[in-house]
């Protein structure tokens, strides 16, 4: 037996990355993708250079390279993360890893980095084709490099989403991103081949302030979204005595406060503010409202040690959906209050009414499935799946009545569905509805849903009393670590 | 200080009470067998000790460290071998152990040395380059044991390690466990094969419906009485074997169970040894030429069934000990 090949990866590399790379490089999905990718690129580029004039060949070659890389990086590679965590869970290997020094976050990030590094390998191999394409002429060098980087960064974020979601015991949560990818695949060729490519390349040259801010915002958004997904995956596989939720909540809270503060700056477009707040809010709120509620005394202890402020903070920051509801309420209050104070003076009353309706619709659209999931989830592990199912049902129950009302010209019929907040969006698009009336109705519906959710959460939170007592009794008396 | 200490442990899964007030201790350096029917609470108790699950109430300690409050410290002390575990695709046995050695914090030469030691001990060297998901059940169990031993833990928790193994693999595993026990490791092992546990273990814990119903050594169990308090004796006579059965018919407290070559198997309805002496005396007095009269040891399966039977009939799991003066 030779142990020499165990030195193929340095000790400094994460064990998880070493394992995933050893396995991943042997996996047929990667080797096939790699070979087919090279063959297709080579063949298409040679054909293009032979059959077209040099000018059109350059543009066509860029389109081919970016489409091929886009498909590989934005679809195939992220899809390899679909079973990243679930395969470890069902294979009963995640527990073996939990007993080592690998933390849940190292496991998740290791899985993610392994796929991303393979995507990077594919990216490196297209450099010769890009050099070849340079000789065709007409290349916007900076634009194409920025665009390539954006595809890679988006691939990183999508891989993070897939890896993060793969820990959830829900096939539906894995199918939804697949549908998203299929939808995206229809857009990519349109952008790249139907005239959009050159416009997009110009935007990617970062020649003006607007494009720089736009691309920076996009990168920040996908970085935040990817981190949220990985953090969610970490929570799912972490032992029950580990708390990953509080940090995630604090970061979202901090980002919200920063966004609200920035919103007061006169240079910031007031209409953009709710979009930014929504982007920060959405992943944070969906995650906290679907967290399992199996609390353990060691998680409550750090809050207890901080006295009264700690106990108050625990109401909002303890892991689990009951505290998640209070946290969501706090976050919504900061968001709405901040938006009204910062943006109200700069927006016309008509636009303001529409923004308010859309905002309330989105808030209600998340709170209603959360309320249903809170009351109808028998198993803690199914809460996230149930949330997705109720969310999907809510969207379907918006689309069908809206189509029906449109066909029959009976818009008023939609009032029967206002218990389902997304219906307000459909109603807002109909001229027959008074915006102020809709706004009042949306506020009432959201208010009722939030009240019911708070009552449910309060009852569930009271169930923690035994655990809180145990944590209190154990404070200072726990068995010391050696 | 005990290697394992569980105090009033409860674990509920919704309405299901998987573990229901379990209390026991396992001393350092001993081998303790954990026996119970499927669903009795064995795996749940073991998983709590291995920091993979948490108690609803009560406490569990490994070498004096609480498993809930200090799971990371406990993990350094235990080696966990579950009843089944998945292996990885596209990963050799050597790489499998290398991954766990890295994950346990071993580096460079020390890592390779530790892997070598474990592979030598578990006889995995010939399998080093085999893919870990292409191994037989016995090989997989050896790999699992190797993984559990990588960090040289003080306590080894093994959940049904012999399940599904062929006789040869079972003997090999038993041998490895014996060697580990000799090295002074505390081994907490569950199995359905009680005879094997009896040979290996210093003590046996019986669990039923989430409660410990017996904790003692296998010898006590073998010498114990049956559900109704009776004890079996093997009686051999010089002469016709029928003499024994004929004699038993007339005796109120003795039952003839089965004929054997030179006598038979009888049951005396009390555990009191003085009564057995009385029966023997009466036999001799009545003219039976006794060549052999000895108490039969029960097998552990019977002992287990008897204990469960006692509980079902509302009696204590183990009858109260006899007064000292009544013992021979």
């Amino acid at each position: 037996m030779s142990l020499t090949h165990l030195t193929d990866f340095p000790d400094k590399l994460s064990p998880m990355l070493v394992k995933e790379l050893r396995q991943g490089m042997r996996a047929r999905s990667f080797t096939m993708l790699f070979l087919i990718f090279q063959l297709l690129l080579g063949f298409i580029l040679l054909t293009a250079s032979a059959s077209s004039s040099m000018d059109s060949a350059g543009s066509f070659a860029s389109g081919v390279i970016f489409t091929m890389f886009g498909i590989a990086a934005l679809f195939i590679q992220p899809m390899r993360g679909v079973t990243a965590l679930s395969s470890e869970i069902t294979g009963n290997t995640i527990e073996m890893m939990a007993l080592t020094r690998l933390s849940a976050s190292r496991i998740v990030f290791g899985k993610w980095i392994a796929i991303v590094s393979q995507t990077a390998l594919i990216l490196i191999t297209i450099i010769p084709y890009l050099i070849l394409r340079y000789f065709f002429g007409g290349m916007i060098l900076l634009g194409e490099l920025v665009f390539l980087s954006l595809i890679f960064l988006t691939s990183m974020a999508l891989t993070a989403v897939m890896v993060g979601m793969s820990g959830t015991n829900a096939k539906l949560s894995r199918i939804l991103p697949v549908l998203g990818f299929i939808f995206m695949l229809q857009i990519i060729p349109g952008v790249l081949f139907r005239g959009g490519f050159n416009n997009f390349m110009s935007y990617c040259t970062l020649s003006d302030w607007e494009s720089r801010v736009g691309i920076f915002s996009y990168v920040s958004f996908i970085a935040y979204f990817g981190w949220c997904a990985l953090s969610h995956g970490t929570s799912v596989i972490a032992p029950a005595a580990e708390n990953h939720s509080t940090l995630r909540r604090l970061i979202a809270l901090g980002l919200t406060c920063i966004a609200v503060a920035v919103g007061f700056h006169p240079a910031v477009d007031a209409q953009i503010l709710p979009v930014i707040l929504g982007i920060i809010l959405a992943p944070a709120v969906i995650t906290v409202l679907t967290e399992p509620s199996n609390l353990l005394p060691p998680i409550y202890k750090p809050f207890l040690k901080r006295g009264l402020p700690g106990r108050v903070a625990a109401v909002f920051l303890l892991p689990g959906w009951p505290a998640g509801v209070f946290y969501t309420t706090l976050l919504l209050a900061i968001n709405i209050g901040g938006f009204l104070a910062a943006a109200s003076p700069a927006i016309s009353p008509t636009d303001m009414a529409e923004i308010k309706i859309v905002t309330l619709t989105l808030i209600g659209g998340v709170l209603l499935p959360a309320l249903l999931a809170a009351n109808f989830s028998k198993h803690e592990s199914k809460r996230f799946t149930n949330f997705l199912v109720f969310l999907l049902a809510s969207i379907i129950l918006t689309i069908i009545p809206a189509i029906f009302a449109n066909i029959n010209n009976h818009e008023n019929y939609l009032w029967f569905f206002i218990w389902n907040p997304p219906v307000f969006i459909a109603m807002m698009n109909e001229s027959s509805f008074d915006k102020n009336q809709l706004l009042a109705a949306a506020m009432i519906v959201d208010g009722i849903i939030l009240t019911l959710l708070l009552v449910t959460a309060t009852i569930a939170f009271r169930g923690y009393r035994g655990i809180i007592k145990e944590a209190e009794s154990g404070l200072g008396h726990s068995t010391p670590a050696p | 200080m005990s290697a394992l200490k569980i105090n009033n442990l409860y674990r509920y899964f919704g309405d299901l009470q998987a573990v229901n007030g379990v209390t026991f201790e396992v001393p350092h350096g001993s081998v303790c067998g954990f026996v119970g029917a499927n669903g009795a609470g064995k795996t749940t108790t073991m998983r709590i000790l291995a920091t993979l699950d948490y108690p609803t109430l009560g406490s569990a300690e490994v070498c004096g460290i609480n498993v809930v409050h200090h799971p990371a410290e406990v993990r350094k002390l235990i080696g966990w071998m579950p009843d089944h575990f998945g292996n990885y695709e596209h990963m050799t046995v050597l790489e499998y152990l290398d991954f766990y050695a890295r994950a346990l914090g071993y580096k460079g030469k020390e890592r390779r040395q530790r892997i070598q030691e474990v592979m030598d001990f578990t006889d995995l060297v010939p399998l080093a380059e085999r893919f870990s998901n292409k191994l037989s059940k016995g090989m997989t169990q050896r790999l699992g044991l190797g993984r559990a031993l990588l960090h040289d833990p003080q306590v080894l928790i093994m959940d049904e390690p012999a399940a599904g193994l062929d006789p040869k693999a079972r003997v090999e595993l038993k041998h490895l466990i014996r060697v580990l026990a000799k090295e002074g490791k505390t081994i907490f092992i569950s199995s359905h094969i009680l005879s094997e546990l009896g040979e290996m273990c210093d003590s046996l814990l019986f669990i039923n419906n989430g409660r410990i119903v017996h904790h003692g050594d296998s010898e006590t169990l073998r010498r114990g009485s049956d559900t109704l308090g009776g004890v079996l004796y093997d009686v051999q006579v010089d002469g016709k074997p029928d003499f024994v059965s004929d004699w038993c018919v007339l005796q109120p407290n003795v039952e003839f169970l089965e004929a054997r070559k030179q006598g038979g198997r009888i049951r005396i309805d009390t555990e009191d040894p003085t009564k057995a002496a009385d029966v023997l005396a009466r036999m001799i007095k009545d003219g039976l030429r006794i060549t052999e009269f000895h108490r039969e040891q029960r097998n552990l399966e019977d002992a287990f069934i008897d204990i469960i039977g006692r509980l079902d009939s509302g009696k204590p799991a183990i009858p109260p000990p006899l007064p000292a003066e009544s013992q021979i």
Side-chain angles (χ1 to χ4, degrees):
Chain A
M1 178 187 62
S2 165
L3 294 180
T4 48
H5 93 263
L6 293 183
T7 54
D8 52 355
F9 288 94
D11 286 334
K12 281 179 187 173
L13 282 184
S14 155
M16 205 63 210
L17 179 60
V18 173
K19 168 191 168 284
E20 290 297 320
L21 284 177
R22 276 181 179 151
Q23 285 183 281
M25 302 294 249
R26 287 188 190 129
R28 194 175 289 176
S29 57
F30 176 73
T31 47
M32 292 299 281
L33 169 71
F34 193 83
L35 291 173
I36 292 171
F37 186 71
Q38 301 301 321
L39 285 171
L40 274 177
L41 267 182
F43 176 74
I44 292 172
L45 280 178
L46 285 172
T47 313
S49 62
S51 62
S52 307
S53 68
M54 285 303 262
D55 284 351
S56 58
S59 174
F60 180 75
S62 286
V64 168
I65 291 169
F66 287 116
T67 305
M68 297 288 287
F69 182 60
I71 290 169
L74 301 178
F75 180 66
I76 298 171
Q77 283 297 95
M79 285 303 291
R80 295 183 63 206
V82 164
T83 55
L85 298 176
S86 61
S87 63
E88 300 280 359
I89 294 167
T90 53
N92 203 16
T93 46
I94 200 89
E95 291 187 341
M96 306 294 106
M97 285 194 251
L99 294 177
T100 65
R101 291 186 191 178
L102 287 177
S103 62
S105 54
R106 281 181 76 191
I107 294 170
V108 174
F109 277 77
K111 292 252 174 204
W112 171 67
I113 288 173
I115 300 175
V116 167
S117 56
Q118 288 166 24
T119 311
L121 198 64
I122 295 172
L123 173 67
I124 289 166
T125 61
I126 67 167
I127 289 172
Y129 300 102
L130 281 177
I131 294 169
L132 183 69
R133 180 261 170 272
Y134 180 78
F135 291 108
F136 290 149
M139 188 179 190
I140 309 166
L141 189 61
L142 180 64
E144 295 200 12
L145 286 176
V146 169
F147 185 48
L148 207 58
S149 307
L150 282 179
I151 293 177
F152 182 66
L153 291 173
T154 309
S155 169
M156 286 173 76
L158 290 174
T159 306
V161 171
M162 295 307 275
V163 170
M165 298 267 277
S166 72
T168 310
N169 188 18
K171 287 198 170 65
L172 183 69
S173 63
R174 291 181 227 156
I175 293 168
L176 284 179
V178 177
L179 294 176
F181 286 134
I182 293 168
F183 175 71
M184 211 168 60
L185 276 181
Q186 293 175 337
I187 297 174
I188 293 173
V191 171
L192 296 182
F193 291 113
R194 288 173 205 155
F197 184 73
N198 285 336
N199 292 339
F200 202 74
M201 283 305 117
S202 311
Y203 191 78
C204 287
T205 51
L206 308 173
S207 52
D208 55 33
W209 178 248
E210 192 189 330
S211 64
R212 280 177 220 158
V213 171
I215 286 175
F216 176 75
S217 305
Y218 174 74
V219 171
S220 305
F221 160 66
I222 59 169
Y224 172 69
F225 213 73
W227 175 78
C228 283
L230 289 177
S231 176
H232 174 70
T234 304
S235 293
V236 172
I237 65 158
E242 283 181 22
N243 177 5
H244 296 271
S245 177
T246 301
L247 176 69
R248 197 166 53 236
R249 291 184 194 194
L250 285 171
I251 287 174
L253 191 64
L255 285 175
T256 304
C257 292
I258 291 168
V260 168
V262 170
F264 281 98
H265 195 278
V268 176
D269 184 351
Q271 297 204 354
I272 294 288
L273 188 59
V275 178
I276 294 170
L277 290 173
I279 286 169
I280 296 170
L281 209 65
V285 164
I286 290 171
T287 313
V288 297
L289 290 177
T290 55
E291 280 175 358
S293 60
N294 39 1
L295 187 69
L296 284 182
I299 289 180
Y300 192 66
K301 268 189 180 176
F303 293 97
L304 267 183
K305 283 178 184 168
R306 284 164 179 80
L308 186 63
R311 285 165 189 263
V312 174
V315 174
F316 301 99
L317 300 176
L318 268 182
W321 69 268
V325 171
F326 300 124
Y327 170 81
T328 302
T329 312
L330 175 73
L331 219 55
L332 287 176
I334 295 170
N335 270 279
I336 294 168
F339 169 67
L340 291 176
S344 272
I347 301 173
S348 71
T350 323
D351 287 347
M352 194 61 178
E354 281 190 3
I355 289 172
K356 281 179 182 171
I357 293 169
V358 172
T359 306
L360 287 171
T361 301
L362 294 175
I363 292 170
V366 172
L367 294 185
L368 181 65
L371 176 66
L372 295 172
N375 286 289
F376 299 106
S377 294
K378 272 190 178 177
H379 301 288
E380 291 290 347
S381 60
K382 296 278 180 193
R383 200 175 293 281
F384 186 72
T385 314
N386 292 345
F387 175 84
L388 289 179
V389 170
F390 290 128
L391 185 68
L392 208 64
S394 164
I395 293 166
I396 291 167
L397 279 174
T398 304
I399 294 170
I400 293 173
I403 293 171
F404 189 77
N406 250 326
I407 292 169
N408 297 300
N409 286 326
H410 285 305
E411 285 87 4
N412 280 333
Y413 157 84
L414 288 173
W415 280 111
F416 289 109
F417 290 89
I418 58 162
W419 52 268
N420 181 27
V423 163
F424 287 111
I425 294 263
M427 292 171 87
M428 201 179 74
N429 291 329
E430 301 292 340
S431 54
S432 55
F433 293 110
D434 176 36
K435 296 278 189 299
N436 288 326
Q437 224 175 10
L438 282 182
L439 182 60
M443 285 169 74
I444 291 168
V445 170
D446 275 19
I448 292 170
I449 294 171
L450 184 61
T451 308
L452 289 173
L453 196 55
L454 283 168
V455 170
T456 315
T458 306
I459 294 166
F461 204 87
R462 288 175 75 179
Y464 287 162
R465 277 185 299 189
I467 287 140
I468 291 170
K469 267 186 187 171
E470 206 181 321
E472 280 171 342
S473 64
L475 201 65
H477 305 291
S478 62
T479 316
Chain B
M1 192 196 297
S2 304
L4 300 175
K5 185 178 178 184
I6 278 189
N7 188 25
N8 213 18
L9 192 83
Y10 289 83
R11 179 65 170 110
Y12 299 160
F13 296 103
D15 295 333
L16 177 75
Q17 299 183 352
V19 179
N20 204 358
V22 163
T23 299
F24 67 83
E25 289 186 36
V26 177
H28 273 289
S30 66
V31 182
C32 179
F34 199 29
V35 184
N38 288 333
K42 297 189 300 289
T43 301
T44 306
T45 308
M46 290 182 133
R47 284 172 55 80
I48 290 171
L49 280 169
T51 74
L52 295 169
D53 200 352
Y54 49 89
T56 309
L57 271 175
S59 70
E61 291 176 6
V62 175
C63 301
I65 301 168
N66 190 297
V67 297
V68 175
H69 297 293
H70 306 292
E73 300 303 325
V74 170
R75 284 169 195 160
K76 289 177 192 167
L77 299 170
I78 58 155
W80 163 245
M81 194 174 158
D83 53 350
H84 78 281
F85 57 95
N87 282 326
Y88 298 112
E89 272 189 332
H90 311 302
M91 188 182 253
T92 65
V93 165
L94 192 58
E95 288 169 348
Y96 179 91
L97 290 173
D98 180 59
F99 163 59
Y100 280 101
R102 282 172 189 259
L104 286 163
Y106 287 104
K107 292 190 189 306
K109 199 178 167 188
E110 190 192 9
R111 174 166 51 85
R112 291 192 291 278
Q113 192 180 331
R114 194 68 205 126
I115 293 168
Q116 183 74 62
E117 284 169 11
V118 161
M119 290 186 83
D120 288 339
F121 177 74
T122 49
D123 197 21
L124 285 168
V125 176
L127 308 172
E129 297 304 326
R130 288 266 288 271
F131 280 122
S132 62
N133 61 336
K134 306 280 181 199
L135 300 177
S136 70
K137 176 78 179 169
M139 293 168 184
T140 305
Q141 290 300 78
R142 274 192 280 148
L143 180 60
L145 182 61
R147 180 195 45 72
L149 291 172
L150 270 172
H151 59 303
D152 196 20
Q154 287 183 33
V155 180
L156 201 56
I157 302 171
M158 306 169 91
D159 187 13
E160 300 281 356
L165 295 188
D166 61 44
K168 184 172 171 276
R170 208 175 283 166
V171 169
E172 285 170 359
L173 188 73
K174 207 158 68 177
H175 167 72
L176 292 177
I177 292 170
R178 279 198 187 122
V179 175
L180 289 167
K182 271 185 191 165
E183 285 178 5
K185 294 202 186 299
T186 307
I187 299 172
F188 189 49
I189 179 171
S190 75
S191 176
H192 285 308
I193 305 156
L194 296 185
S195 53
E196 286 188 356
L197 278 187
E199 288 172 33
M200 282 189 291
C201 299
D202 301 313
S203 65
L204 288 173
L205 267 165
F206 285 3
I207 186 169
N208 186 47
N209 291 331
R211 293 174 193 274
I212 297 294
V213 293
H214 169 74
H215 190 182
D217 59 54
S218 57
E219 203 52 34
T220 311
L221 278 170
R222 285 200 175 99
R223 293 181 59 81
S225 59
D226 63 19
T227 320
L228 299 171
V231 180
L232 306 182
Y233 282 84
D234 182 32
V235 183
Q236 306 284 310
V237 290
D238 179 19
K240 282 187 178 176
D242 293 349
F243 289 167
V244 180
S245 57
D246 294 346
W247 184 85
C248 286
V249 172
L250 301 169
Q251 307 301 318
N253 302 324
V254 184
E255 185 186 351
F256 186 80
L257 296 178
E258 60 175 323
R260 284 178 177 172
K261 235 181 189 176
Q262 282 301 316
R265 194 171 175 230
I266 65 168
R267 176 183 176 278
I268 301 173
D269 65 0
T270 171
E271 205 184 357
D272 186 349
T274 58
K275 301 290 181 212
D278 289 345
V279 169
L280 177 62
R282 283 208 308 272
M283 281 180 164
I284 295 166
K285 192 181 164 193
D286 291 344
L288 268 70
R289 291 165 60 83
I290 306 294
T291 56
E292 199 169 324
F293 184 90
H294 74 264
R295 186 169 167 169
E296 271 193 356
Q297 287 203 339
R298 294 177 304 163
N299 65 39
L300 291 173
E301 276 84 359
D302 288 344
F304 178 68
I305 300 291
D306 282 347
I307 286 172
I308 302 302
R310 271 179 206 282
L311 287 168
D312 290 344
S313 59
K315 292 183 179 177
I318 295 292
L322 297 165
E325 63 269 20
S326 66
Q327 294 182 16
I328 296 176

